[in-house]
Amino acid sequence: LGSRSRTAGAELLGELSGIRRQVQLESRLRKFIRDGTLASETPLPSSRALASTLRVSRGLVVEAYTQLRAEGYIVTRHGAGTYVGVMRGGSPVAAPTSRPKTRLRFDFFPGRPDLASFPRELWLRALRNVLRGSAASALSYPDPRGTPELRGALAQYLNRARGLAVDPELIVIVAGATQGLALFGRALVRSGFGDIAVENPGLPSHRSVLAAVGLGVRGVTVDSDGLDVGELAGIGAVLCTPAHQWPTGVALSPARRAALIAWATGERLIVEDDYDAEFRYDRAPLAALQGLAPDHVVYVGSVSKTLAPGLRLGWLVLPPRWAAVATPELLNDFGSSTLGQLALAQLIETSAYDRHLRKARERNRSRHDALISAVAEHLPGARVSGISAGLHTLVRLPFACDPDSLTAAAASREVGVYPLSSFLIERPNATDALVLGYASLPESAIVEGIKRIGEALAAL
Ligand SMILES: Cc1ncc(COP(=O)(O)O)c(C=O)c1O
């Protein structure tokens, strides 16, 4: 190991012996990466070379690399081998989906709402009311779980809009879903949970956040019915997106929903990331799982898709048993900024939030429909998969291609595309699908962008 040579220095790892040699290899590599012995970007030996040096099977090294990749400690680059990931303070830095550097006039970056349509006037009015109407004490340290105003408003909203069974006492306001996962992840670790399952493909930043708090992250297959519940054997917690799987866009099928609820007995926990459920275009959305199993679901939501990610406002709804268990982790930073919470509570209570959502839903639906027609017209052989919902969709391509070449061919035409392969734990060298966000692009740009993707594909 080491930057001089990909094979030198493997003796650093020492002998692997006895049972659980894969776990030994994983934990030694993890330790050396965390303590900086193996610095960020250090090239690692190929699985074949390391297996031969350590006199273990190649499969064992491949499995260990796969696990560390899922946790963000190592990364693989097409054709360039395996490297230590980017670390900060001994933890993997959450890796947002990488964007090409060229200026992209037609950027299908997935999951971003239309920030140009942020309801500035509504927000300003709500903030003005809050500042005019609140007592000086409202500016003191808040209840670290969040203001009673927002927790009360959310309890009603989540019940009405998503079918949640909620007591405001079980709601914790956080600075976005990501912070909520980090905070709750720490509580899981302290309570003895070693691993958490995540959907594969899924969001790389969620995987790194969970690994950074010390959880082992185990990928679970996703197919056209959503995550494969059969793969959860032996695991105590799972993070999932049942309403609209990120990024494949499928809904968890009724049979799988039932199986997941049936799986969640005893101490088992479902962490339900309900990130874009407000946006369903073909029917009313299915209620959240939380309403069916409130004792086993940690519900996670935020305004990142409905208003703007820059507000950094989100919430956790905890199972009653976890409210006390999770208290130290959730309370040890004195909570989140009060003014934004009070403004959001106003928007919800005055129904301005509902009116804003109706408008956003209409706009997103038109953009979704524009994308579907543009794909039918300009990408022959391609197929849109997943349900009619959210801010992004998965487009299956007529053939598999090298993801980097496709991204580059699109970028040279000022189009940003996001191959499905970049959301998989083990990135394949070929991709046959693109994750395309449409909510922040006007319809004319969507049509032009899809045309140009067609040209990029033809040029490959
Ligand atoms: C799957 C998924 N969950 C949750 C979020 C929201 O995260 P946050 O609330 O931290 O902005 C996103 C945003 O990109 C997402 O893609």
Side-chain angles (χ1 to χ4, degrees):
L1 296 170
S3 51
R4 279 166 293 115
S5 148
R6 282 187 174 275
T7 50
E11 65 275 9
L12 188 67
L13 292 167
E15 284 271 304
L16 301 177
S17 61
I19 52 164
R20 294 169 61 78
R21 286 178 301 168
Q22 181 194 323
V23 176
Q24 289 170 30
L25 176 58
E26 279 169 29
S27 60
R28 286 180 206 175
L29 279 168
R30 211 181 273 114
K31 173 179 173 297
F32 289 134
I33 294 172
R34 291 188 77 111
D35 70 13
T37 308
L38 292 170
S40 296
E41 309 277 337
T42 303
L44 294 170
S46 70
S47 53
R48 193 184 303 280
L50 187 57
S52 140
T53 316
L54 296 174
R55 288 193 295 276
V56 294
S57 75
R58 181 166 174 230
L60 183 148
V61 179
V62 168
E63 283 295 312
Y65 274 10
T66 302
Q67 181 56 31
L68 293 169
R69 197 177 294 119
E71 297 173 5
Y73 286 101
I74 67 176
V75 291
T76 306
R77 302 197 185 121
H78 300 301
T82 302
Y83 290 78
V84 174
V86 178
M87 299 290 128
R88 195 170 298 140
S91 295
V93 175
T97 314
S98 58
R99 288 170 189 240
K101 305 259 180 306
T102 352
R103 186 177 120 70
L104 301 172
R105 277 166 64 207
F106 310 96
D107 189 359
F108 290 93
F109 189 74
R112 187 172 50 190
D114 188 10
L115 300 177
S117 309
F118 179 80
R120 289 176 189 241
E121 280 308 316
L122 282 183
W123 192 255
L124 199 56
R125 211 177 307 146
L127 268 182
R128 202 181 285 127
N129 287 341
V130 162
L131 282 168
R132 277 215 189 100
S134 48
S137 59
L139 298 172
S140 183
Y141 285 105
D143 181 330
R145 295 171 302 169
T147 65
E149 289 86 346
L150 182 55
R151 288 154 65 219
L154 274 175
Q156 291 193 10
Y157 169 76
L158 292 172
N159 175 261
R160 171 163 60 75
R162 302 293 300 126
L164 262 70
V166 209
D167 173 350
E169 289 298 308
L170 298 174
I171 297 183
V172 179
I173 306 301
V174 286
T178 312
Q179 191 202 40
L181 285 182
L183 290 171
F184 190 75
R186 279 191 210 111
L188 281 176
V189 170
R190 194 171 45 75
S191 307
F193 281 71
D195 290 340
I196 186 165
V198 296
E199 294 164 329
N200 185 25
L203 198 62
S205 57
H206 283 178
R207 297 198 288 262
S208 9
V209 161
L210 294 169
V213 301
L215 287 163
V217 180
R218 309 275 159 194
V220 170
T221 311
V222 173
D223 61 23
S224 57
D225 286 331
L227 97 142
D228 184 348
V229 179
E231 290 182 22
L232 295 180
I235 295 185
V238 56
L239 167 65
C240 55
T241 48
H244 188 220
Q245 204 274 331
W246 177 274
T248 63
V250 299
L252 193 63
S253 70
R256 291 269 177 88
R257 279 168 73 92
L260 187 57
I261 299 282
W263 168 85
T265 53
E267 298 297 310
R268 289 181 183 152
L269 272 180
I270 300 166
V271 183
E272 178 175 27
D273 176 7
D274 205 32
Y275 66 105
D276 69 0
E278 279 84 356
F279 301 118
R280 176 102 197 215
Y281 312 124
D282 54 342
R283 48 159 289 169
L286 273 185
L289 288 178
Q290 194 274 358
L292 304 174
D295 292 339
H296 293 278
V297 174
V298 178
Y299 178 91
V300 187
S302 79
V303 298
S304 291
K305 310 297 178 190
T306 57
L307 285 167
L311 294 178
R312 304 316 296 137
L313 254 180
W315 44 87
L316 298 177
V317 181
L318 300 172
R321 175 168 55 89
W322 276 86
V325 182
T327 300
E329 276 74 21
L330 298 172
L331 304 192
N332 68 8
D333 58 8
F334 292 177
S336 306
S337 161
T338 313
L339 289 177
Q341 295 187 44
L342 292 175
L344 179 60
Q346 278 249 337
L347 290 189
I348 296 174
E349 270 164 8
T350 58
S351 302
Y353 189 59
D354 284 311
R355 286 196 296 279
H356 161 73
L357 284 179
R358 277 199 293 277
K359 265 197 217 159
R361 198 176 293 123
E362 274 317 303
R363 188 175 44 246
N364 291 342
R365 179 208 306 272
S366 306
R367 293 176 177 185
H368 170 268
D369 294 350
L371 182 111
I372 305 288
S373 330
V375 167
E377 193 171 342
H378 302 294
L379 291 185
R383 183 173 54 82
V384 171
S385 84
I387 57 172
S388 178
L391 311 179
H392 76 279
T393 196
L394 187 73
V395 176
R396 296 266 173 208
L397 302 172
F399 54 87
C401 53
D402 171 54
D404 292 342
S405 310
L406 176 54
T407 309
S412 71
R413 291 165 176 80
E414 299 178 287
V415 181
V417 296
Y418 300 87
L420 177 62
S421 51
S422 56
F423 297 90
L424 284 158
I425 291 175
E426 190 144 17
R427 293 190 186 187
N429 289 324
T431 195
D432 67 350
L434 293 175
V435 184
L436 300 181
Y438 46 77
S440 63
L441 289 173
E443 286 162 42
S444 56
I446 292 174
V447 176
E448 182 59 26
I450 296 291
K451 265 190 206 163
R452 292 179 184 216
I453 295 174
E455 290 163 17
L457 280 169
L460 284 183

